[in-house]
């Protein structure tokens, strides 16, 4: 395991310790979240924890079920106690860019149903300003190139000149679990993430974007000296009522 992966594993393992018997747990997507799922499954088995999990992607659901965790649909739960998920960037106030794994829509749906959200990452993900990582935007497949042009124009009105890039793999457009497409916006430093989030959401054809603002309550960040806990400013203690 390389050093970055070890940091991800340390963060995932620390997050698994936050889970209590009887909880409904949101499972994130990506390599860091996969470490959390593995650590959670290990704890659940060793301690006989009775857990229900809601997954943010088909890939994570497969992993979790393969490890013996019970995965239920989001529609079957009233609320989720804790969601643990990775991020592509962690900026000021625990603002995030997510969606590198193309799961941003299901991730946001699960996060918004959660009483407490913990983001887990290696130290390189913590940045002073969001935007070095291209912002993923999920768009409806129908008319996606026209939607991309409207995204370009809307973003330009905010002073950011960027050509949205359709995400492909092996020469084919990447399809999300919901059958839609992803455009990546290499904007560079984002001076006003909230304004950008609002502008993107107002475009017909945009389903959602990877800016997660005001959603993460805490971050567990693996580094060379262990795992650091960051709590969102203004929260006296972790969690939402
Ligand atoms: C998936 C995500 C991931 O959480 C994000 O891409 C981080 O991935 P990793 O833990 O593999 O670095 O948002 O849509």
């Amino acid at each position: 395991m390389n050093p970055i992966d070890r940091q991800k594993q340390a963060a995932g393992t620390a997050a698994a310790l936050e889970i209590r018997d009887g909880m409904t747990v949101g499972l994130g997507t990506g390599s860091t979240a996969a470490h959390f799922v593995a650590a959670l499954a290990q704890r659940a088995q060793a301690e006989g924890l009775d857990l229900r999990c809601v997954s943010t992607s088909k890939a994570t659901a497969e992993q979790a079920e393969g490890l013996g965790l019970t995965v239920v649909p989001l529609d079957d739960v009233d609320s989720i106690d804790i969601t643990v998920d990775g991020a592509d960037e962690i900026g000021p106030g625990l603002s995030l860019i997510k969606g590198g794994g193309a799961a941003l829509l299901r991730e946001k749906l699960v996060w918004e149903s959660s009483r407490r959200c913990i983001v887990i990452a290696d130290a390189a993900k913590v940045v002073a300003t969001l935007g070095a990582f291209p912002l993923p935007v999920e768009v409806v497949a129908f008319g996606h190139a026209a939607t991309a042009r409207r995204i370009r124009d809307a973003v330009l009105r905010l002073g950011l000149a960027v050509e949205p890039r359709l995400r492909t793999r092996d020469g084919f457009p990447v399809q999300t679990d919901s059958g839609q497409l992803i455009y990546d916006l290499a904007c560079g430093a984002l001076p006003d993430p909230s304004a950008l989030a609002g502008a993107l959401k107002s475009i017909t054809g945009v389903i959602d974007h990877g800016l997660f603002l005001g959603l993460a309550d805490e971050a567990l960040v693996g580094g060379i000296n262990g795992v650091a806990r960051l709590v969102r400013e203004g929260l006296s203690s972790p969690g939402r009522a």
Side-chain angles (χ1 to χ4, degrees):
M1 194 182 290
N2 68 44
I4 297 294
D5 212 37
R6 262 201 295 277
Q7 293 180 10
K8 292 180 178 193
Q9 186 183 44
T13 303
L17 295 174
E18 301 288 319
I19 307 304
R20 303 278 166 262
D21 190 34
M23 279 186 166
T24 301
V25 185
L27 307 178
T29 293
S31 57
T32 319
H35 285 301
F36 165 70
V37 172
L40 183 64
Q42 207 170 17
R43 264 201 71 201
Q45 196 180 22
E47 299 173 34
L49 302 182
D50 178 23
L51 305 173
R52 282 191 312 173
C53 301
V54 175
S55 180
T56 54
S57 65
K58 292 177 184 170
T60 297
E62 248 175 56
Q63 182 202 4
E65 285 175 332
L67 293 172
L69 292 169
T70 302
V71 179
V72 298
L74 177 58
D75 286 339
D76 286 8
V77 303
D78 287 333
S79 77
I80 296 169
D81 294 299
I82 300 187
T83 284
V84 177
D85 197 354
D88 300 297
E89 283 187 345
I90 303 176
L94 300 189
S95 57
L96 309 176
I97 287 182
K98 287 186 49 54
L104 67 95
L105 175 63
R106 292 190 184 198
E107 288 171 341
K108 206 175 271 186
L109 285 164
V110 169
W111 281 56
E112 288 184 351
S113 299
S114 303
R115 296 178 57 227
R116 183 177 164 205
C117 295
I118 302 177
V119 60
I120 50 175
D122 57 279
K125 300 282 182 64
V126 180
V127 297
T129 310
L130 292 178
F133 190 91
L135 177 66
V137 180
E138 184 160 347
V139 304
V140 176
F142 177 81
H144 64 89
T147 301
R149 288 193 289 273
R150 298 179 65 214
I151 291 173
R152 179 197 59 203
D153 294 348
V155 169
L156 188 58
R157 283 195 288 277
L158 295 175
L160 299 165
V162 53
E163 200 56 54
R165 199 183 59 243
L166 179 65
R167 194 181 297 181
T168 59
R169 191 181 304 122
D170 302 327
F172 294 97
V174 168
Q175 276 203 331
T176 67
D177 281 353
S178 306
Q180 310 299 352
L181 304 175
I182 298 280
Y183 277 86
D184 292 302
L185 309 185
C187 297
L190 302 180
D192 189 346
S194 306
L196 179 57
L200 290 170
K201 276 295 261 192
S202 72
I203 298 170
T204 305
V206 168
I207 302 170
D208 220 315
H209 52 75
L211 284 166
F212 282 48
L213 307 177
L215 288 174
D217 298 298
E218 293 164 74
L220 292 171
V221 180
I224 47 175
N225 296 318
V227 177
R229 183 187 297 267
L230 313 176
V231 177
R232 178 152 53 95
E233 220 172 283
L235 291 181
S236 51
S237 63
R240 279 188 282 274

